[in-house]
Amino acid sequence: MLTVGLAMLQGARHEHAEALRGAAAELEVNVNIVECRRASHVSPELDALILPGGESTTMRIASQHESLLHAIFDWMELHPHRPVLGTCAGAILLSSPGEGRQPFLSATIERNAWGRQRQSFESAVEVILDTPSGKDSTAPEAQRDIFDHLPLEMQSQAAPVLDDGFPGVFIRAPRFVTNGLSCTPVAMLGEEVVGVLDGTKLGLTFHPELTIDRRFHRWLLHQAGQSKEVK
Ligand code: GLN
């Protein structure tokens, strides 16, 4: 059983939970998802953590009351080998945690660098990360949710599994400043780096949880299993 914390800061949290369940089914492992709303939820039991997208400024402000972000960053410093997936605003928080802390992703990231919400877009992304393969979840039957419902046809078409890449959904996305980037690029949009790996911290400027291609969530679970073994 793997225990994954999901930072309930703001933004696309439920989609991440869904994606994690899907990835766990694909890998045939059990996952326990802990919704982290308060500092006390960020326990040493967590094998991995997800920092979802949203609005990073709002997240910082919203978390002040419960010291949630503070607890999350403490947890990351205490357990440097446990994997963390930060998507979009989550990647911003990883690269600029603030509070006088060292960045968890040694990359500079520029917020809203593609423009406004209207300039959000979808485009195929090339993934150069070793991700464990899983059972095929693209068949309609495999997409049933916890209520045993199939997704809207429109929705499954909007987030296809692409043969030639990963369906990158960019929503008011940030951009990595690649000059002097010292972590490993793992996802590319043409020449542009849109995903980086720094040790066990993975930062993506797009939203993998809005697609049915679960390979980044499978990566997280796989890494979590590995770091558990060496514990
Ligand atoms: N624009 C947001 C920010 O700067 C990030 C957008 C997202 O997470 N989709 O925090």
Side-chain angles (χ1 to χ4, degrees), residues 52-57 59 87-90 92 111-112 170-174 205 207:
E55 180 57 51
S56 53
T57 311
M59 288 171 159
T87 57
C88 207
I92 297 174
R111 294 183 58 203
N112 306 329
F170 294 82
I171 304 171
R172 218 145 72 81
T205 60
H207 287 264

Side-chain angles (χ1 to χ4, degrees), residues 97-223:
E99 303 185 347
R101 296 182 196 250
Q102 288 294 316
F104 298 97
L105 272 185
S106 31
T108 308
I109 198 163
E110 195 185 332
R111 294 183 58 203
N112 306 329
W114 295 101
R116 295 168 171 272
Q117 189 81 6
R118 269 186 295 121
Q119 271 102 41
S120 298
F121 61 97
E122 191 176 331
S123 189
V125 163
E126 184 199 349
V127 179
I128 19 182
L129 177 72
D130 244 351
T131 54
S133 53
K135 281 198 316 196
D136 182 19
S137 67
T138 59
E141 278 310 306
Q143 293 178 45
R144 288 190 180 273
D145 67 11
I146 51 166
F147 303 108
D148 206 29
H149 295 155
L150 286 169
L152 293 178
E153 200 170 314
M154 196 183 73
Q155 198 175 323
S156 48
Q157 280 173 3
V161 171
L162 304 176
D163 287 337
D164 58 341
F166 187 91
V169 179
F170 294 82
I171 304 171
R172 218 145 72 81
R175 291 176 85 167
F176 290 112
V177 179
T178 35
N179 249 349
L181 190 70
S182 55
C183 34
T184 315
V186 294
M188 304 294 293
L189 178 68
E191 298 290 297
E192 167 108 15
V193 177
V194 291
V196 296
L197 182 67
D198 191 342
T200 55
K201 309 294 178 283
L202 179 60
L204 306 175
T205 60
F206 51 97
H207 287 264
E209 76 283 6
L210 299 181
T211 76
I212 51 167
D213 189 326
R214 310 283 192 223
R215 71 183 102 158
F216 292 105
H217 292 82
R218 290 202 303 270
W219 172 88
L220 187 78
L221 291 172
H222 180 72
Q223 291 293 314

